Amino acid sequence: MKAAELITKKIRELNDDMVDAARNVSLDVDDDTLLADLARWAARRCGEDEEEVLREVKAWAETWGDNDSLFATLRCILELGDECNKERDNPPPPWKFREFLGFRGMEERNEWYKKRVHITIHRGTGQIGGSVTEINMGETNILVDFGSSLPGSQAAISDDELIKKIFHRRYHPIDAVFFTHYHGDHTGLIDKIPKEIPIYMDETMLEILRVLHRHTGNTAMQDLLANRDGRIHDLKSGQTIVLKDMSITPFFVDHSAYHANMFLFEGAGHTILHSGDFRSTGYTGRSVEIVPQLIREKIYQVDVLICEGTMMTRSVKEEHLLTERKLQEEVSAYMQDHRQLFVVCSSTNFDSLSSICQAARANQLSIYANDYMVDMLKTFRKIAGKYKKVYRLPFVHTIGELKKRHPKEGVVLLGSLLNKKIEDAYTLYERYGSYMSEFNPCLLYSMWRGYLNPDHAAYNEGLATFVKRFGGQVNYAHSTGHADKKTLAKFIEEIAPRKYIVPLHTENPAGFKELKIEDRYKDMVILPKDGWTIEVK
């Protein structure tokens, strides 16, 4: 019997009672995914090609009049088809969510629903950035981050497809979205979240995003961040939030975005730790040692660790990556002999900007920046200056002051320049040259070097052109925002997960199996693809 015939035969045999039951126990997938799952089930059962069966199924579905009745019925077919999974020679691995669910009645379904623990990484299993993770515990469904993809990323799913898949489905709506930090690859789609869904972030992140979008002119973001309707809720490190049958606890952690958070999720008898982005090389680097201690005090053990792995494809030694304190030392020494210095550094990398500003203060060099960066640094000084001396930044002058003074020495903060076109690079260099007397500048490049590599997908021609204008007068000094392999290994062993380790935010997830960790942890590493759902048992 052909696969397509099997499908049509089954659907004609189903009665109204089964259709009604299917509506109550529907699988948590959108309609397109449902058709694909149906085709996969029938193809495997009949030993036929999945793609050919899918084409036939789609053509057949277009002839069906009542789509709501159709898809409810299709879900019932998949539930009946659960038997085919049991007969397979190579069943899915135990961590893979069973795609075909069947229940004998609503009571059985409700009991399962209260105990379910599912993790779906919608985007991020094979790329850095664009992060979106869904965690389901019992009756609660939340997202961690809702970011846009970084330049050069080969996303498995587009932003529009992602939004439709998550927010336009009929079943299991999202209860809330939690954000680890303010970088665009984690927050870039925040204004696409439906208005009825609550958002959780700490007040530092909210304030930084307000300043950022005050200068971007994005009115949708400005309206959202104004929080007039109160849908944005504050997070406090170490304070637990309860949503329905899930508990969420944020923990402050060091990152190149100030005041980033990890999240501990508890529910349905399980615990999941989502690391977000973190490191140990910043001015608050000890947090990576403190978090495991705090978690052990709160609970006995973590079941699943969802862990970032940005540095799996990068080398600390080859890229000359420094701690923030070492960065400040090197830059300070460099400024002694290079008194006219331009700086390329992200406008929100406050640790590195603090290192550079403190080095300028030590060398009695005035600092200049555009209005946006001045606004950012003032905000950061107000937020963080009361906690650490290094964050009590010296006064930063505007570019207007630079034009007025025409100094022969000083430090000019330029931001990342990632949005500059090639022609802008030449214009920018000449324009700032006219603002300074005896123009003989050097450049401090304090960002990832991949942007300057023409062989890398993230190559930025405008930025690379600007850097080339300085010839040999470029000093590369950067502190990564992410945990290196040694830090990752130590963190994993201190967290000591009990069941699974799920790589995220990485181009080399398999690299987790090569870390210097105990074999039992290597065996816990699982490698799902974007969109796969992991069932935690």
Side-chain angles (χ1 to χ4, degrees):
M1 181 183 293
K2 290 184 178 179
E5 291 175 356
L6 171 65
I7 292 170
T8 55
K9 181 175 184 295
K10 279 282 187 183
I11 202 165
R12 300 302 175 190
E13 291 175 357
L14 296 175
N15 58 38
D16 291 342
D17 290 339
M18 296 179 73
V19 172
D20 290 338
R23 288 196 181 99
N24 293 324
V25 298
S26 296
L27 293 174
D28 189 9
V29 294
D30 57 38
D31 293 344
D32 290 339
T33 304
L34 179 57
L35 284 178
D37 283 348
L38 181 69
R40 185 183 304 116
W41 164 70
R44 287 174 178 171
R45 186 157 184 176
C46 299
E48 296 183 5
D49 182 76
E50 290 184 22
E51 292 185 5
E52 290 183 8
V53 173
L54 179 58
R55 280 194 292 271
E56 289 188 60
V57 171
K58 284 183 175 179
W60 167 76
E62 290 175 0
T63 66
W64 193 275
D66 183 356
N67 276 339
D68 286 340
S69 176
L70 166 66
F71 286 108
T73 305
L74 294 185
R75 295 172 196 278
C76 194
I77 291 175
L78 289 181
E79 289 154 13
L80 292 175
D82 185 40
E83 60 184 324
C84 79
N85 255 358
K86 300 172 185 175
E87 296 171 358
R88 287 170 56 190
D89 293 332
N90 298 305
W95 52 266
K96 179 72 169 68
F97 175 51
R98 286 173 57 213
E99 294 159 342
F100 312 109
L101 294 176
F103 303 98
R104 287 185 290 272
M106 286 303 294
E107 184 177 346
E108 182 179 328
R109 180 261 184 194
N110 290 339
E111 284 304 308
W112 167 83
Y113 197 67
K114 291 176 184 177
K115 298 175 183 177
R116 69 173 184 144
V117 179
H118 295 159
I119 301 168
T120 306
I121 299 178
H122 291 286
R123 195 162 62 188
T125 62
Q127 72 179 66
I128 295 169
S131 302
V132 183
T133 302
E134 181 174 348
I135 296 176
N136 316 119
M137 285 181 153
E139 299 180 351
T140 312
N141 310 291
I142 64 93
L143 291 181
V144 181
D145 292 335
F146 203 55
S148 49
S149 291
L150 291 169
S153 296
Q154 302 297 318
I157 185 172
S158 69
D159 291 348
D160 288 342
E161 291 172 326
L162 189 69
I163 292 165
K164 179 182 177 182
K165 178 181 180 182
I166 294 174
F167 296 122
H168 295 181
R169 64 196 186 196
R170 295 188 181 93
Y171 308 99
H172 312 319
I174 297 299
D175 293 300
V177 184
F178 287 75
F179 286 96
T180 59
H181 63 286
Y182 51 71
H183 282 158
D185 60 323
H186 296 257
T187 64
L189 301 178
I190 189 173
D191 59 332
K192 308 301 181 186
I193 300 170
K195 292 182 179 180
E196 67 274 12
I197 298 177
I199 293 170
Y200 288 81
M201 63 177 72
D202 67 37
E203 61 181 357
T204 296
M205 175 179 170
L206 178 58
E207 187 62 29
I208 295 299
L209 286 175
R210 282 173 172 164
V211 176
L212 173 65
H213 289 291
R214 187 157 66 227
H215 291 268
T216 63
N218 186 329
T219 55
M221 284 288 198
Q222 290 170 0
D223 289 344
L224 169 63
L225 297 168
N227 200 28
R228 297 182 187 92
D229 56 2
R231 67 181 290 213
I232 299 178
H233 301 269
D234 185 29
L235 294 171
K236 300 289 186 186
S237 183
Q239 293 187 10
T240 300
I241 294 167
V242 178
L243 288 179
K244 295 162 68 174
D245 53 355
M246 179 191 288
S247 297
I248 306 101
T249 308
F251 295 97
F252 167 84
V253 70
D254 184 43
H255 181 43
S256 52
Y258 179 70
H259 216 285
N261 287 285
M262 293 184 178
F263 289 113
L264 178 68
F265 299 93
E266 302 172 80
H270 287 82
T271 55
I272 299 170
L273 179 65
H274 189 297
S275 77
D277 292 356
F278 71 102
R279 64 175 181 178
S280 62
T281 54
Y283 291 116
T284 56
R286 281 203 64 243
S287 59
V288 75
E289 301 173 6
I290 295 172
V291 168
Q293 297 173 16
L294 293 174
I295 290 175
R296 280 194 294 272
E297 291 173 4
K298 180 176 175 55
I299 59 172
Y300 177 67
Q301 201 161 27
V302 169
D303 291 317
V304 181
L305 171 61
I306 304 171
C307 190
E308 77 118 314
T310 308
M311 292 298 290
M312 286 298 175
T313 54
R314 301 178 185 180
S315 168
V316 170
K317 185 175 182 181
E318 291 175 4
E319 297 188 25
H320 187 56
L321 298 174
L322 309 167
T323 66
E324 289 295 348
R325 287 182 174 80
K326 189 64 177 176
L327 174 66
Q328 183 177 340
E329 291 175 11
E330 285 201 8
V331 172
S332 184
Y334 186 74
M335 287 179 179
Q336 293 176 15
D337 299 317
H338 302 83
R339 310 285 295 177
Q340 195 177 103
L341 189 64
F342 288 74
V343 178
V344 171
C345 178
S346 169
S347 61
T348 58
N349 186 348
F350 295 125
D351 267 28
S352 290
L353 288 172
S354 295
S355 299
I356 294 162
C357 288
Q358 296 297 357
R361 170 186 270 163
N363 282 277
Q364 298 181 323
L365 287 171
S366 295
I367 307 168
Y368 304 88
N370 61 27
D371 291 343
Y372 160 63
M373 289 201 69
V374 169
D375 200 1
M376 272 292 190
L377 292 172
K378 281 182 179 178
T379 302
F380 176 65
R381 185 192 298 120
K382 179 185 70 175
I383 291 171
K386 55 190 173 184
Y387 298 115
K388 276 187 175 290
K389 184 177 180 180
V390 70
Y391 296 144
R392 295 167 198 160
L393 304 179
F395 185 79
V396 180
H397 302 277
T398 65
I399 296 300
E401 282 295 306
L402 183 68
K403 293 167 66 175
K404 186 188 300 184
R405 295 182 180 189
H406 290 282
K408 67 177 181 180
E409 63 180 27
V411 175
V412 183
L413 305 177
L414 299 173
S416 71
L417 302 185
L418 288 174
N419 61 343
K420 294 295 180 184
K421 298 178 182 177
I422 302 173
E423 57 270 23
D424 292 340
Y426 286 96
T427 305
L428 188 65
Y429 182 88
E430 300 299 340
R431 185 167 73 248
Y432 280 112
S434 68
Y435 297 161
M436 302 190 77
S437 63
E438 301 179 25
F439 191 50
N440 183 27
C442 297
L443 177 68
L444 172 65
Y445 183 86
S446 188
M447 294 211 318
W448 177 50
R449 290 205 206 185
Y451 296 125
L452 307 180
N453 182 358
D455 295 327
H456 199 284
Y459 174 64
N460 187 288
E461 196 170 3
L463 175 58
T465 300
F466 180 77
V467 173
K468 288 176 184 175
R469 294 300 309 274
F470 290 84
Q473 294 288 84
V474 181
N475 181 25
Y476 299 94
H478 184 43
S479 178
T480 179
H482 302 274
D484 60 17
K485 294 176 184 177
K486 183 178 178 181
T487 302
L488 283 174
K490 183 179 179 183
F491 182 73
I492 287 170
E493 296 205 328
E494 288 185 349
I495 292 296
R498 193 168 64 93
K499 294 186 175 181
Y500 308 130
I501 297 170
V502 187
L504 176 70
H505 204 278
T506 180
E507 295 171 328
N508 179 26
F512 275 73
K513 291 180 176 288
E514 304 301 322
L515 290 173
K516 293 182 179 179
I517 53 180
E518 294 181 32
D519 287 344
R520 63 188 174 116
Y521 295 125
K522 292 181 181 181
D523 293 339
M524 291 180 191
V525 175
I526 58 176
L527 306 173
K529 301 292 185 183
D530 283 358
W532 287 12
T533 300
I534 300 164
E535 182 177 23
V536 183
K537 295 182 178 180

